[in-house]
Amino acid sequence: MNQLHTVLVVDDDKSIVELMKDFLENDGFHVKTAYETNQALEMFHTSKIHCILLDIMMPGQNGFEFCRNIREKSNVPILFLSARSDDVDKIRGLALGGDDYIVKTASPGEIVARVKAVLRRSNSQQESNRRILDYGRLSLDLSTREVFINGENILLTPKEYELMRLFAEHPKYVFSYEQLLEKFWDGVGDKHTVRVHLSRLREKIESDPNHPQYLINVWGIGYRFTGEANENNSHS
């Protein structure tokens, strides 16, 4: 199924681009490459891109700015691939909409595995029956992978959607940081990783993110989703 997926590799280091291109193609992916963000943006608008592997430090527009630009238009999975391992950069990348943050010391095989993991999450099979989870002003259409606030479709990244769905399907259940890291980040990361994504999700679904109605922090443990869903099933 990988042959259906096109990965855009964006990095000004040609040796890294060629290495990742070889490994990804060997695993069945189509690969497009760009050495600066203007070229990458043009490719994104003219080609069907399923995932972006993105360096941060590049001439001109850097990876953070590029990610912000893409997130205004699309929820395509974005994985940062950077030589910088600082928590500040990681948190910033995730806060801007990145689905993962990988340090370049990772092996090419591990990077390909992380690409496959984020694509599995974003391309999970749609249900044959339409299912709606209704929480008043917030609702989820599980068949189309859409989330609505007061009837308006809001744009979530693939990982944000999967987080939202997990919570919405298990109201009142407390998910620990460790459970969330294991499920969505293959156990790689820390509490900051979870907090950044949940904070970004709150910004999109809560009327007042500082006083959340839906995603509640359980001090020292993790998060829970409040409310009881009204689930409607209807055939497509």
Side-chain angles (χ1 to χ4, degrees), residues 223-235:
Y223 294 86
R224 67 180 173 87
F225 186 81
T226 62
E228 295 292 345
N230 298 313
E231 183 174 323
N232 302 309
N233 294 312
S234 62
H235 294 284

Side-chain angles (χ1 to χ4, degrees), residues 56 82-91 101-105 190:
I56 293 176
S82 175
R84 300 167 65 166
S85 59
D86 294 345
D87 283 344
V88 172
D89 289 323
K90 179 178 180 180
I91 291 170
Y101 188 103
I102 309 169
V103 179
K104 286 184 177 179
T105 52
D190 53 27

Side-chain angles (χ1 to χ4, degrees), residues 21 34-35 77 92-93 113 163 193:
K21 184 175 187 291
Y35 301 105
R92 185 182 179 193
L163 281 163
T193 302

Side-chain angles (χ1 to χ4, degrees), residues 164-234:
M164 184 73 262
R165 174 171 178 167
L166 176 70
F167 281 108
E169 288 188 315
H170 301 88
K172 305 289 181 70
Y173 184 89
V174 178
F175 288 96
S176 69
Y177 292 105
E178 291 75 17
Q179 286 175 310
L180 295 172
L181 279 170
E182 184 62 33
K183 182 171 181 63
F184 295 106
W185 290 274
D186 299 320
V188 179
D190 53 27
K191 289 183 179 181
H192 289 299
T193 302
V194 178
R195 287 170 179 157
V196 166
H197 277 80
L198 268 293
S199 174
R200 197 173 67 217
L201 188 53
R202 279 173 170 167
E203 291 287 340
K204 296 182 178 182
I205 69 167
E206 301 284 1
S207 297
D208 181 358
N210 293 321
H211 299 88
Q213 172 188 356
Y214 293 113
L215 288 174
I216 307 300
N217 179 254
V218 180
W219 182 254
I221 301 175
Y223 294 86
R224 67 180 173 87
F225 186 81
T226 62
E228 295 292 345
N230 298 313
E231 183 174 323
N232 302 309
N233 294 312
S234 62

Side-chain angles (χ1 to χ4, degrees), residues 137-152:
R137 61 181 291 275
L138 169 67
S139 62
L140 290 80
D141 187 331
L142 302 185
S143 59
T144 62
R145 297 172 60 85
E146 293 178 307
V147 178
F148 300 88
I149 295 294
N150 293 324
E152 181 179 350

Side-chain angles (χ1 to χ4, degrees), residues 8 10 32-49 52 61 66 69-70 73:
L8 174 60
V10 187
K32 290 187 176 291
T33 61
Y35 301 105
E36 49 90 17
T37 49
N38 286 335
Q39 179 189 18
L41 194 59
E42 182 178 351
M43 286 185 176
F44 181 77
H45 288 310
T46 57
S47 306
K48 177 63 175 177
I49 303 297
I52 300 174
Q61 186 183 62
F66 178 79
N69 195 321
I70 293 295
K73 311 172 182 67

